[in-house]
Amino acid sequence: MVTDTHSFARPHEARVTDLHLDLRVDFPRQRVLGRVTLTLERAAGSTSLVLDTRDLAVHRAADGDGHPLAFTSGPRDPILGSALDIALPSGVTSVLIDYETTTGAAALQWLAPRQTAGQQHPFLYSQGQAILTRTWIPTQDSPGIRQTYSARVTVPRELTAVMSAESLTPDGIESGDGRTFEFRMREAIPPYLIALAVGELGFAPLGPRSGVYAEPATLDAARAEFADVEQMIEAAERLLGPYQWGRYDVLVLPPSFPFGGMENPRVTFATPTILAGDRSLVSLIAHELAHSWSGNLVTNATWRDFWLNEGVTTYVESRIMEALYGPVHADMLQVLSRRELLDEIDRVGGPSSADTILHIDLDGRDPDEGATRIPYDKGAALMTLVEQQVGRARFDVYLRGYFERHAFQSIVTGTFIDDLRRHLLDERPGTEEMLRLHAWIFEPGLPGNAIAPHSTLLERVAADAQAFTAGVAASSLNAAAGWNTQEWLHFLTVLPATLTPPQLADLDATFNLSDRRNSEVLFAWLRIAIRHHYAPAMPAVERFLTTQGRRKFLRPLYEDLMASAWGSAAARRIYASARPTYHAVAVHTLDSIVV
Ligand code: BES
Ligand code: ZN
């Protein structure tokens, strides 16, 4: 029996199999309110249904015929919230709950019009992963408890609702107090994938089954940036088997979205910071698309198994990028991510830290703490090692089979290992020992047999970084001939921490680094600037921290600022003004950094 220590649910007694939402989105009061109807599967003799809630106001519970049911709310745990225990008379297999969200609902971000591109209308979006769905829907919020869902959502007339489900009413239906949109997800999904966004949204098709939603002011840029999406889907299908979710759309959110992307089924939610203008950051879309298999089709059953979602996805992301843009480009991405992994291992306490274990112990902690680069890049490195050990052709057959065998299931790490042995490793005795599979999954650090990625192009860039460090002028570097985004990122990350003020000024003036529009390049440059106390970049630092809310960018920049008296005063001042514009998950992280 799988136990999820991050859920109060007791699914072996009574399990939610479907939920229907009938909701109204109240922008003036910043609340979502209405009713959820849960369909249950009950074990003989069960007497109650236990749900997860956090910061929810539950008004009433009733059976399918409307007869009230007694319920109690358990003590509040700061991470998990409260168990909602509903008494179940025998024979009851459907439960209605009237409820509303509170201002504490961490899944929801309510944006004022000035936080949107169009500046005219408010915006709402939800972020369920890892355990935030319980802050806007009372249900069994565990990735091992898959549920189908349907919804009716009423929003202000001028706005459009989008959900991670098939839309039954693309233009909405006029209703007394606004417009109602209806949705249906026929496949059972983990509850962290239930998602809603409401705003002034336009739509542009990208391919026969793909398109992009964005605010009207952002739509053209988004359409151009994501022009390769259909090809990505085709590449993923060639590798993994048919795409199972019908449509694949991307929703570009306002800039406060705390993640790069979120793989909500049928509609990836994405940050606008990947709209670089040259498609150079689209590996993020390849990543979220890959989750349509690893994550959404085959799901981690508990957050301890998160690496199954992210590691396999990061490997598939790289294969999609290779298929579209060639191995030379994919190798650059691999080199960059290996560097990030090594830096992350240092950040979480070095190679003997328990937080570098793929099968990470998160008991008693917020599962969000497991969302480091380790499950992504160490997980992907394991997949690459297996691929190289058994050969790509055999590995690809295995991978496709893995998704077929576990489609629409939630699995734990042990199930993955059993499957790998049975369908791949056991055919050739000794393979598992050569891989050191146990060490990879259950021990800390990056095992010595990890394959080191190489990129000749990036080696050249590193040589330029060395030359610059040794005194060569910025204008004499090969960069003058036009590096791409990945070359810039490599150059900036391999520069030493000991540049002189004239060197920084030379770089900035020659390459306009403080004015870069590419968020990743700007971020890498601003980190260097902060570490060197390079004051001329401070206006750019402040602008970047106050115009986007992606945690991946915010955390290191605030940390770097807080590391010195020089930066900490600025960090506190900027954070005080920007904090209300950030999403709760970013605020949660930053509150312990900017003190
Ligand atoms: N599923 C994750 C986002 C996530 C992880 C949200 C854990 C909440 C908890 C998503 O697929 C992801 O990995 N996003 C990355 C981008 C990706 C290209 C590495 C991100 O947001 O930075
Ligand atoms: Zn991911």
Side-chain angles (χ1 to χ4, degrees), residues 127 129 259-261 263 284 287-288 291 306 310 373 376:
Q127 164 60 40
Q129 200 179 14
F259 296 106
E263 67 271 25
L284 185 136
H287 177 98
E288 304 312 334
H291 274 305
F306 181 59
E310 298 299 345
R373 292 306 311 173
Y376 291 78

Side-chain angles (χ1 to χ4, degrees), residues 191-386:
Y192 72 83
L193 293 176
I194 303 172
L196 169 69
V198 181
E200 188 195 6
L201 290 173
F203 176 81
L206 293 168
R209 54 177 161 175
S210 53
V212 57
Y213 293 96
E215 289 193 69
T218 313
L219 194 56
D220 281 345
R223 188 213 312 247
E225 203 78 32
F226 303 145
D228 295 337
V229 158
E230 190 63 34
Q231 272 177 274
M232 287 185 173
I233 304 172
E234 285 165 13
E237 286 189 311
R238 277 195 295 276
L239 184 60
L240 307 174
Y243 179 75
Q244 305 258 22
W245 305 91
R247 293 195 57 83
Y248 180 75
D249 296 321
V250 178
L251 165 62
V252 179
L253 288 165
S256 65
F257 185 55
F259 296 106
M262 179 64 214
E263 67 271 25
N264 297 315
R266 296 178 64 100
V267 56
T268 283
F269 285 17
T271 169
T273 63
I274 55 167
L275 303 178
D278 59 4
R279 302 184 197 171
S280 65
L281 303 178
V282 293
S283 64
L284 185 136
I285 299 298
H287 177 98
E288 304 312 334
L289 171 66
H291 274 305
S292 305
W293 288 264
S294 39
N296 299 2
L297 202 54
V298 181
T299 308
N300 53 213
T302 77
W303 298 113
R304 184 165 206 176
D305 312 299
F306 181 59
W307 77 276
L308 290 181
N309 273 20
E310 298 299 345
V312 179
T313 292
T314 302
Y315 170 80
V316 172
E317 165 196 343
S318 171
R319 294 291 301 274
I320 295 173
M321 293 304 286
E322 182 184 324
L324 264 80
Y325 308 107
V328 172
H329 188 75
D331 285 346
M332 287 201 270
L333 297 170
Q334 299 267 25
V335 168
L336 293 174
S337 60
R338 178 57 52 89
R339 169 138 223 125
E340 279 193 62
L341 173 59
L342 297 175
D343 289 349
E344 189 80 323
I345 289 174
D346 279 348
R347 192 180 70 86
V348 303
S352 58
S353 158
D355 282 352
T356 65
I357 296 173
L358 287 179
H359 192 242
I360 186 175
D361 182 3
L362 293 166
D363 286 5
R365 301 156 79 188
D366 190 329
D368 210 36
E369 287 183 36
T372 67
R373 292 306 311 173
I374 312 287
Y376 291 78
D377 298 322
K378 184 178 173 184
L382 170 58
M383 301 301 282
T384 302
L385 178 66
V386 179

